[in-house]
Amino acid sequence: MRITDIATKHRTSVVVMTVILAVGGLYSYIVLPKESNPSIEVPYINVTTFYLGASPDDVAELITKEIEQEIKGITGIKEIRSTSTEGLSSIVVEFHPDVPIDEAEQEVRDQVDAAKPDLPTDAEDPVITEIDFSEFPIMTVNLAANYSLTRLKELAEDLKDEIESVPGILEVDVVGGLEREVQVDVNLNSLLGYGLSFTDIADAIRDENSNIPGGSFDLGEQNYLVRVEGRFERPEEIEKFVVAAPNGVPIYVKDLAEVKFGFKERESYARLKLIQIEEDGVLRQVEDPVYRQVISLNVKKRTGENIIETAAATQNILDTYPMPQGTFVLITGDQSEMVEDLVNDLENNIIAGMIFVVLVLLLFLGVRNALLVGLAIPMSMMVSFLLLLVTGYTLNFIILFSLIIALGMLVDNAIVIVENIYRYREDGYSAWDAARNGTSEVGAAVVASTATTVAVFAPMMFWPGMIGEFMGFMPLTLIVTLSSSLFVALVINPVITGYLVRVENNGKEDTGVRRGSVWLKRLGIAFAAVLLGLIALVNPIMSVVLAVSAVFVWALYGYILRPLGDRFVVTGLPRLIGRYREFLEWMLVRNYNVRAAMLRNTGALTSFSLGVILLLLGAVLGVAVDTIAGLALILPGAALAGLGVIFIILHALESLYIGGRNSIKAAIGMALVIGGLIGLTYLGEEPMAALSAGVLLAIPAVIGALGILGALFNRRDYLILTDNRARLLTGTLSVLFTVVGIFAFTSAGVAFFPETDP
C-alpha cells in the first residue's frame, strides 16, 4: 500500500513520530478534562407560574392556556406538556435537539412576556428555567457544629467565597441555616393614634439609613470629600429615628413599633443522618445515628472543567481553612469519586488487557511478535487521546466505557499485518521488502474489516433526540479508536516490525537487521524506563504493578507458554487442521442418484426463500400502490415461507436423528453449558425464571432423545436430504428459528437502563 511504502521509505521519521505520538498521547490523557456526565444541552424549557389560592381549573383557564397560546407559535418546538394544580401552572416546552437552547429560551421568554398582560394581576410573574447538567452539584459540603447556627451560617458564607475563588467552580449554593435581620414590629393602635401609616415608618427608616454626600472643600493644597454618615450599625439606632413632628413634637420609631434583631424566615432546611463514617479508610457504624442540623454547600462546576482537579482544589480549601473548634465537615455526593474510579478502571483494564493479550500472543506467536502486536494497544490509545484533546472533548464516563469496549479490538489489524510480514521474511525477503509486501497483501482486507466494524457504529452517530446526543459519544469514541488502530497497523507496525523482525535459518538467527535494530532496542528500553518513571510520579502503585507484571510475563513465557506453544505448533495445530479437513470432506458428500434428489435437497430452502421475497415485494407494493395489491403477494409469500420453515425444522430433526451418537455427545455438552449458566444466575440476586430454564433445558433434551433413537434404530445414511450442504443450511436456519422462539417465550422484557440501587 502506498501509505506503507511512504512509511517504510521514511522510517526514521516514523520512529520519531511514534515517540512524539506516545508522549503527546500521555500528556493528552493527563490534561484531558475528566467529568462524570457528557456536556450536552437538554432541549427543555420550564415555565412555572404561581397563582396562590386558585383552583386547578382556574389555573388552567387563566394562566396555562394563555401562556400556551403564545408559545405554541415558536418554531422548533417538538412537544408542549403542561400541568395545572392548585395554585401552580407548570409548562414544559421540548425543542428539537438541533435548536440552540439559548435562542429557544429567549424566544420562550419573549412570548411569555407577551402573555403577561392577559394573566391575573395577583398571579406571580412566570419563572423561566432551562435544564443544564452543569447546574447539578458535583459535591455537597455539609457543615455541623456544637455552636449556634447563626455563627455556622457566617462560616458557610465565608467558605462559599473561598470555594468560588477556584477557577473551575461555577457557583456555590448555601442551603439551611439562620440569617439575621432587623425586624420592626409596628403597634397598630399607636400608629392609628398618631394618624400615621406604614408607609411613613418605611420612608423614615429608608431616608435615615443612607450616607449623604456633602461635596468637597479645599484646605491648603489638599482637597477633602464631605459626606454625612447616616447608615445605622446597630438595631437600637432605628428606635431614635423621627417619623413625624406635628406641632414641633417629634414622634420616634420607638413610639410606634418594637425594634428587634431577629432571624429571617427560613426558606431552606438541611439535615444529615450519619449511619456510617469512614476512619482511616474503614467504614465504622455510628452508635446513635440521628438527624443533625447542618448547612449544606452545593458546589457546581463549570462546563468542560476537570472534575477531579476541581474536587481536589475544593478539598484542599476545606483542609486548610481555619475552622472554629467544634466544626464538623462531611462531603456527600462527590461525583469525582465515580469519575476517578472509572479512570482507574480504564487504566487497570488497559494494563490487564495488554497483559492478557500479550500472554495469548506469546502462546501462539512468540515473544517478539507478541510485543510487536501488543504495541498496537497503547499506541492506539495514545493517538485517540490526542485526537480527543484536539477536538475539545472531555473524558466522561461514556467515553471511558467506550475505550474499555474497544480494548479487545485494537490488536486485530496488527496481528494480521505482523504475521504476514514474518511470513514474507521467512520466504527470504529482506526486512523492508517483507514489511512492504506483507502489508500490501493484506492491507486492503485490514481496511475492509475495520470499515465493517466502524460501519456498525456509524449509524448510532445519527441517533435522534436527547438520548442520541448523550449516547453519541460511544460510537464517536469507538470510530476514533478503531481508526487509530488502523493507522498504527498500516504505518507504525510495519516500520517497527521491519526494524525488529528476526527469523531463524537452520537454527541460526538472522543477523541481517541486528545492527540496524540495536539502537532501536536501546531506544525502546530507554523510552520504557522513562515512561515507567513518569507513571511512578503519577501513580507509584501502577508502576510497580507494571514492573512486576513484566517480570511475571517473562517468567511465564520462558517456563510455561513457550513449551506449550511449541507443542501446539507441532501436535495440536496439525490435529486441529486434520479435524477441520475431515469436516470439510464430510460437508462435500452428496448423492443425487436418488429419485427427486433436487426437490428433496432444495425444496424447503427454495420455498422459504421465495416466501421471504414475496413478503418483501408485497410490503413494498402495499406501501407504494395499495394494501389490497400488496396482500396479493403477502398471502402466498406467507404460505410459502411458513411451509419452508416447517420443512427446514423437519430436516434439522432428521439430521439429529441420523447423527446418533454425535447428537448424544452434543446434547450432553449443551446441557452442561446451559445448566452451568442457569446455576450462575442462581448465585445472583435474580435467578432465572423456571419457565426460561425449562425451555433452555428442553433443547438438549430433544437433541439427546433424537440421538438415542437414531443410535438404536437408524441404519441408513440419509432419510430425505442426500446433500450435506443442504443439511448445513437447514441446520443453521433451524438454530436461528430456535433462538427467535426462545427469546419469544422466555423474554423478561425490555428496559432502556437496568434498575440498580445507587
Side-chain angles (χ1 to χ4, degrees), residues 707-720:
I708 292 173
L709 292 176
L712 293 176
F713 303 108
N714 181 52
R715 297 295 181 269
R716 302 175 59 183
D717 293 333
Y718 59 85
L719 297 178
I720 301 176

Side-chain angles (χ1 to χ4, degrees), residues 197-380:
S197 65
F198 285 104
T199 305
D200 297 328
I201 299 178
D203 292 342
I205 295 175
R206 184 186 66 246
D207 295 340
E208 291 290 340
N209 185 33
S210 61
N211 295 329
I212 303 174
S216 62
F217 69 93
D218 296 327
L219 183 60
E221 296 182 356
Q222 302 293 327
N223 180 272
Y224 294 91
L225 293 176
V226 179
R227 66 173 181 170
V228 179
E229 293 281 354
R231 295 185 65 88
F232 60 83
E233 297 180 356
R234 300 190 312 275
E236 294 81 6
E237 298 177 15
I238 301 177
E239 296 178 344
K240 302 177 183 178
F241 289 169
V242 177
V243 179
N247 302 322
V249 179
I251 302 174
Y252 299 98
V253 172
K254 63 182 179 181
D255 299 328
L256 303 173
E258 179 185 1
V259 180
K260 297 186 297 185
F261 191 40
F263 299 96
K264 281 186 177 181
E265 183 178 353
R266 298 186 65 172
E267 298 179 351
S268 62
Y269 292 82
R271 294 192 300 167
L272 180 67
K273 184 176 182 179
L274 286 182
I275 299 176
Q276 289 180 319
I277 190 170
E278 185 176 356
E279 293 182 353
D280 299 329
V282 179
L283 286 175
R284 180 178 61 82
Q285 196 79 16
V286 176
E287 295 180 358
D288 186 19
V290 295
Y291 281 104
R292 303 181 62 179
Q293 286 276 2
V294 297
I295 296 179
S296 299
L297 283 75
N298 294 326
V299 182
K300 300 177 182 178
K301 178 184 70 70
R302 295 185 186 275
T303 303
E305 295 291 337
N306 192 320
I307 188 174
I308 297 177
E309 295 178 357
T310 304
T314 304
Q315 183 65 57
N316 183 58
I317 290 177
L318 297 176
D319 294 338
T320 57
Y321 193 83
M323 301 282 185
Q325 188 175 1
T327 306
F328 176 77
V329 181
L330 180 66
I331 295 177
T332 56
D334 189 356
Q335 295 186 22
S336 66
E337 294 180 354
M338 182 188 71
V339 178
E340 195 166 4
D341 289 340
L342 282 171
V343 173
N344 291 335
D345 287 343
L346 175 66
E347 294 172 351
N348 293 334
N349 276 277
I350 291 176
I351 294 172
M354 284 186 61
I355 292 173
F356 286 118
V357 167
V358 169
L359 286 176
V360 174
L361 297 175
L362 285 173
L363 178 63
F364 291 100
L365 306 180
V367 61
R368 187 172 294 264
N369 288 21
L371 293 177
L372 291 173
V373 172
L375 178 69
I377 296 178
M379 284 306 305
S380 301

Side-chain angles (χ1 to χ4, degrees), residues 288-551:
D288 186 19
V290 295
Y291 281 104
R292 303 181 62 179
Q293 286 276 2
V294 297
I295 296 179
S296 299
L297 283 75
N298 294 326
V299 182
K300 300 177 182 178
K301 178 184 70 70
R302 295 185 186 275
T303 303
E305 295 291 337
N306 192 320
I307 188 174
I308 297 177
E309 295 178 357
T310 304
T314 304
Q315 183 65 57
N316 183 58
I317 290 177
L318 297 176
D319 294 338
T320 57
Y321 193 83
M323 301 282 185
Q325 188 175 1
T327 306
F328 176 77
V329 181
L330 180 66
I331 295 177
T332 56
D334 189 356
Q335 295 186 22
S336 66
E337 294 180 354
M338 182 188 71
V339 178
E340 195 166 4
D341 289 340
L342 282 171
V343 173
N344 291 335
D345 287 343
L346 175 66
E347 294 172 351
N348 293 334
N349 276 277
I350 291 176
I351 294 172
M354 284 186 61
I355 292 173
F356 286 118
V357 167
V358 169
L359 286 176
V360 174
L361 297 175
L362 285 173
L363 178 63
F364 291 100
L365 306 180
V367 61
R368 187 172 294 264
N369 288 21
L371 293 177
L372 291 173
V373 172
L375 178 69
I377 296 178
M379 284 306 305
S380 301
M381 288 288 186
M382 294 300 106
V383 175
S384 301
F385 290 142
L386 195 58
L387 291 175
L388 290 175
L389 180 66
V390 171
T391 52
Y393 286 95
T394 61
L395 278 183
N396 53 68
F397 81 93
I398 297 289
I399 290 181
L400 293 174
F401 177 70
S402 304
L403 289 172
I404 295 174
I405 292 177
L407 187 63
M409 297 184 282
L410 298 181
V411 296
D412 297 346
N413 299 331
I415 290 176
V416 176
I417 287 178
V418 171
E419 275 297 286
N420 209 43
I421 292 174
Y422 262 82
R423 183 176 67 85
Y424 269 90
R425 189 73 180 97
E426 290 171 347
D427 290 343
Y429 287 83
S430 66
W432 299 111
D433 287 340
R436 283 188 289 268
N437 295 335
T439 306
S440 299
E441 185 177 31
V442 298
V446 167
V447 172
S449 65
T450 305
T452 55
T453 307
V454 168
V456 173
F457 296 104
M460 294 180 64
M461 296 188 65
F462 304 97
W463 193 342
M466 186 181 67
I467 299 299
E469 288 192 43
F470 190 81
M471 298 298 296
F473 290 90
M474 184 175 70
L476 174 69
T477 306
L478 290 170
I479 290 172
V480 169
T481 308
L482 294 176
S483 301
S484 300
S485 73
L486 180 63
F487 171 78
V488 171
L490 295 178
V491 176
I492 297 178
N493 274 122
V495 173
I496 303 300
T497 306
Y499 275 115
L500 299 180
V501 63
R502 186 176 64 190
V503 297
E504 294 185 0
N505 296 319
N506 298 324
K508 296 181 180 180
E509 294 181 351
D510 178 19
T511 58
V513 296
R514 179 180 298 177
R515 296 174 182 174
S517 63
V518 167
W519 68 272
L520 188 61
K521 294 179 187 177
R522 294 175 179 175
L523 180 62
I525 295 173
F527 176 74
V530 172
L531 184 62
L532 198 64
L534 293 175
I535 294 175
L537 295 176
V538 179
N539 193 336
I541 297 178
M542 184 189 298
S543 62
V544 174
V545 171
L546 284 174
V548 173
S549 300
V551 175

Side-chain angles (χ1 to χ4, degrees), residues 525-740:
I525 295 173
F527 176 74
V530 172
L531 184 62
L532 198 64
L534 293 175
I535 294 175
L537 295 176
V538 179
N539 193 336
I541 297 178
M542 184 189 298
S543 62
V544 174
V545 171
L546 284 174
V548 173
S549 300
V551 175
F552 170 75
V553 170
W554 174 78
L556 187 66
Y557 171 73
Y559 293 99
I560 297 178
L561 295 181
R562 185 170 185 176
L564 285 177
D566 294 340
R567 182 176 178 182
F568 174 76
V569 171
V570 174
T571 60
L573 187 59
R575 187 181 304 170
L576 186 63
I577 294 175
R579 295 273 183 89
Y580 183 57
R581 182 183 296 274
E582 292 175 2
F583 171 75
L584 291 179
E585 291 176 349
W586 179 83
M587 284 305 307
L588 296 176
V589 173
R590 56 181 178 169
N591 181 11
Y592 279 79
N593 296 321
V594 293
R595 181 178 298 177
M598 187 63 68
L599 178 63
R600 294 167 65 167
N601 290 304
T602 63
L605 295 171
T606 302
S607 176
F608 177 74
S609 302
L610 288 177
V612 171
I613 293 173
L614 289 177
L615 286 173
L616 293 175
L617 292 177
V620 173
L621 188 62
V623 173
V625 181
D626 184 63
T627 305
I628 298 177
L631 289 176
L633 295 178
I634 291 177
L635 293 178
L640 285 174
L643 190 64
V645 170
I646 294 173
F647 278 99
I648 286 173
I649 294 175
L650 289 176
H651 289 324
L653 297 177
E654 170 199 357
S655 300
L656 294 174
Y657 176 78
I658 294 176
R661 294 182 179 179
N662 291 330
S663 298
I664 296 174
K665 294 177 183 178
I668 294 174
M670 187 179 297
L672 292 175
V673 173
I674 294 176
L677 294 176
I678 295 174
L680 289 176
T681 63
Y682 278 88
L683 297 177
E685 296 181 358
E686 296 184 4
M688 184 178 293
L691 175 62
S692 302
V695 172
L696 291 176
L697 291 174
I699 298 173
V702 172
I703 295 175
L706 290 172
I708 292 173
L709 292 176
L712 293 176
F713 303 108
N714 181 52
R715 297 295 181 269
R716 302 175 59 183
D717 293 333
Y718 59 85
L719 297 178
I720 301 176
L721 297 180
T722 62
D723 192 335
N724 287 343
R725 296 172 299 176
R727 284 199 176 100
L728 175 66
L729 293 174
T730 54
T732 304
L733 289 173
S734 298
V735 172
L736 173 63
F737 300 151
T738 303
V739 171
V740 173

